[in-house]
Amino acid sequence: RFCGLHFFNPINETRLAEIAVHASTADRSVAIAAQLAKQLRKWLIVVGDGPGLVVNRLLMALLNEAQVLLSEGWSVETIDAAAESFGWRLGPFKILDVIGLRTALDAGGQISRDLPNSMSAPPFLIPLLKAGRQGRLHGLGFFRYDEQGTAHSDPTVAELIEVYRKPTRGPVSPTPHNLELINQRLLAAMLVQAIAIL
């Protein structure tokens, strides 16, 4: 009689929800979960039970690739600007801050244990967590947040993560070509996982 009903942060702003089923989930259970989600005004997808379900598995692919780009020399700000110019409400590092760095580290760790070839980024979250940077809720993550929750660049982040950065290019600027290149990489990472899910 079990199924999962999975919401996404920020719950009050995100319309999507996943109903996760397994081979013997009863149709009645899915119908009850769907009715509840519809009453909460959510859009629904029904997915199989697997690591990260669908949305988090795709999201972790995006977040992983963003960190790979960071390790290559792109800045947090440029990567986020690229994603936001593509149409994401938040860039990947602001998403990590909203999720919370501890939660993101634990979720990414679980997916990487179940899917060993899915994660390849350096462990950027660890030095930030050790420095007490837990994410937007606590005012510090990849960005510094003011009392209104607005993100501001913080040069301290570059110092904390420098040990994991191995730039393969010189300083890069957020030109339209560079933003497009970043978006192609982020999207490709998600497409690879989408194909694997299918």
Side-chain angles (χ1 to χ4, degrees):
R1 299 199 309 258
F2 277 92
C3 65
L5 183 52
H6 184 210
F7 300 100
F8 307 101
N9 278 323
I11 292 172
N12 60 330
E13 297 174 24
T14 305
R15 296 288 309 275
L16 184 66
E18 292 174 305
I19 296 177
V21 301
H22 55 85
S24 55
T25 298
D27 291 343
R28 175 171 164 71
S29 299
V30 176
I32 291 169
Q35 184 60 40
L36 174 62
K38 285 178 183 174
Q39 288 173 350
L40 297 171
R41 298 190 179 114
K42 299 296 183 185
W43 297 331
L44 292 170
I45 56 174
V46 178
V47 303
D49 184 18
L53 303 178
V54 170
V55 173
N56 278 349
R57 185 162 168 189
L58 297 179
L59 178 62
M60 287 301 163
L62 171 93
L63 300 177
N64 180 74
E65 188 64 22
Q67 292 176 80
V68 171
L69 287 161
L70 183 61
S71 74
E72 293 173 3
W74 301 94
S75 72
V76 166
E77 294 78 11
T78 298
I79 297 165
D80 267 22
E84 290 167 19
S85 73
F86 182 74
W88 285 82
R89 183 172 49 205
L90 298 173
F93 294 103
K94 289 187 187 112
I95 291 172
L96 281 163
D97 282 350
V98 168
I99 293 169
L101 301 190
R102 170 57 58 192
T103 300
L105 182 65
D106 292 344
Q110 181 63 49
I111 290 174
S112 69
R113 280 189 293 280
D114 292 338
L115 303 165
N117 297 324
S118 66
M119 301 287 169
S120 59
F124 287 115
L125 303 182
I126 293 171
L128 295 179
L129 284 164
K130 285 182 178 177
R133 303 180 77 95
Q134 298 181 43
R136 187 172 76 175
L137 185 63
H138 298 276
L140 291 171
F142 279 94
F143 292 90
R144 179 179 48 80
Y145 295 87
D146 61 26
E147 291 179 2
Q148 289 73 40
T150 303
H152 301 278
S153 296
D154 189 339
T156 305
V157 171
E159 297 169 16
L160 290 169
I161 64 175
E162 190 59 36
V163 65
Y164 295 117
R165 298 190 71 193
K166 309 249 186 293
T168 56
R169 58 182 56 84
V172 288
S173 59
T175 64
H177 172 74
N178 286 340
L179 297 183
E180 182 179 348
L181 176 64
I182 290 169
N183 282 320
Q184 288 172 353
R185 296 250 321 253
L186 295 174
L187 186 58
M190 295 175 71
L191 286 173
V192 167
Q193 288 303 313
I195 291 166
I197 290 167
L198 290 174

